[in-house]
């Protein structure tokens, strides 16, 4: 999740982590080597885990999502992470009537954008939209729209809450509560 406020909203208000088998990470911009190490450990152990990135539709958001797929430079186990961007798309802008903001990209940002386009990281429509100095932030959604939007994206990707069969859940090896109580009383007296 690109922005702290949306991380808190997804976790606390929408309880996404309770309702779906999903973990949330707030990297407040571009990912760090520590985050890349964590993602690598998870994806090496669990090949069916995908990193979903939630970003704005702007030059930085596209860069964050694109860079999130790159492993740590010293990685010996993976070349690229399995990632999917679920941030705002051009289709979302039209479908939801989201507010488009005007910005003045810096020369370096335009160069980065052009490189990402030429490398095939973004399509022509997104390239032209961003190059024209336009952006749409996640907060263009109302909270209710945002909740529905995220739930729809997760559903489209087949993310769900996995409930194990009762037979698969191991019963913890716990002492009888009366034995625990008697031991605690005996320990408290001595």
């Amino acid at each position: 999740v690109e922005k702290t406020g949306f991380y808190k909203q997804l976790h606390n208000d929408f309880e996404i982590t309770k309702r779906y088998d999903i973990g949330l990470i707030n990297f407040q911009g571009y990912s760090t080597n520590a985050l890349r190490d964590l993602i690598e450990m998870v994806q090496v152990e669990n090949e069916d885990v995908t990193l979903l990135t939630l970003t704005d539709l702007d030059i930085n958001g596209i860069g964050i999502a694109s860079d999130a797929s790159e492993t740590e430079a010293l990685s010996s186990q993976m070349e690229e992470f399995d990632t999917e961007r679920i941030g705002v798309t051009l289709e979302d802008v039209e479908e939801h009537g989201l507010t488009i903001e005007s910005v003045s990209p810096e020369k370096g940002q335009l160069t980065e954008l052009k490189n990402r386009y030429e490398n095939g990281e973004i399509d022509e429509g997104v390239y032209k939209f961003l190059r024209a100095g336009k952006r749409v932030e996640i907060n263009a959604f109302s909270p209710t729209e945002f909740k529905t939007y995220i739930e729809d994206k997760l559903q489209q990707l087949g993310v769900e809450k996995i409930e194990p069969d009762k037979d698969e859940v191991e019963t913890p090896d716990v002492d009888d509560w009366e034995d625990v109580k008697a031991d605690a009383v005996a320990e408290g007296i001595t």
Side-chain angles (χ1 to χ4, degrees), residues 117-134:
Y117 171 65
E118 289 175 351
N119 290 335
E121 296 174 32
I122 57 174
D123 66 30
E124 186 175 5
V126 171
Y127 174 69
K128 287 180 177 180
F129 180 84
L130 298 176
R131 181 151 177 71
K134 298 177 184 178

Side-chain angles (χ1 to χ4, degrees), residues 8-179:
K8 290 176 181 176
Q9 191 173 36
L10 289 167
H11 185 66
N12 297 336
D13 300 341
F14 302 162
E15 297 185 329
I16 292 292
T17 56
K18 290 181 182 177
R19 297 184 304 115
Y20 297 90
D21 274 342
I22 192 168
L24 294 176
I25 302 170
N26 177 227
F27 48 87
Q28 300 177 354
Y30 289 85
S31 56
T32 63
N33 287 344
L35 177 59
R36 292 176 197 277
D37 288 344
L38 173 64
I39 294 166
E40 182 172 10
M41 286 180 0
V42 169
Q43 287 194 343
V44 164
E45 292 293 320
N46 305 286
E47 293 178 11
D48 60 340
V49 173
T50 301
L51 173 65
L52 305 176
T53 57
L54 177 62
T55 66
D56 296 326
L57 178 58
D58 61 12
I59 294 173
N60 288 335
I62 296 296
I64 289 167
S66 184
D67 288 351
S69 67
E70 297 175 9
T71 61
E72 155 59 57
L74 301 176
S75 173
S76 61
Q77 300 201 26
M78 301 183 83
E79 290 182 27
E80 189 173 81
F81 296 130
D82 182 12
T83 62
E84 179 85 31
R85 182 175 174 277
I86 61 170
V88 182
T89 65
L90 288 177
E91 293 81 15
D92 296 331
V93 173
E94 186 175 315
E95 180 181 335
H96 299 281
L98 301 176
T99 302
I100 299 172
E101 299 176 11
S102 295
V103 293
S104 299
E106 298 173 6
K107 186 176 180 181
Q109 289 180 307
L110 292 173
T111 301
E112 175 189 340
L113 181 65
K114 183 178 180 184
N115 290 339
R116 291 190 187 284
Y117 171 65
E118 289 175 351
N119 290 335
E121 296 174 32
I122 57 174
D123 66 30
E124 186 175 5
V126 171
Y127 174 69
K128 287 180 177 180
F129 180 84
L130 298 176
R131 181 151 177 71
K134 298 177 184 178
R135 77 171 181 202
V136 179
E137 295 196 348
I138 299 168
N139 56 342
F141 288 105
S142 72
T144 304
E145 291 170 328
F146 180 58
K147 181 178 185 274
T148 302
Y149 173 78
I150 292 298
E151 290 170 342
D152 289 347
K153 292 283 185 175
L154 295 176
Q155 190 173 41
Q156 289 169 13
L157 293 167
V159 178
E160 57 187 14
K161 183 71 173 179
I162 298 173
E163 301 287 341
D165 291 333
K166 290 182 181 183
D167 298 338
E168 295 176 4
V169 178
E170 293 181 20
T171 304
D173 190 18
V174 179
D175 295 333
D176 180 54
W177 72 272
E178 290 181 356
D179 292 340

Side-chain angles (χ1 to χ4, degrees), residues 179-189:
D179 292 340
V180 172
K181 179 182 174 186
D183 290 346
V185 168
E187 196 173 308
I189 293 174

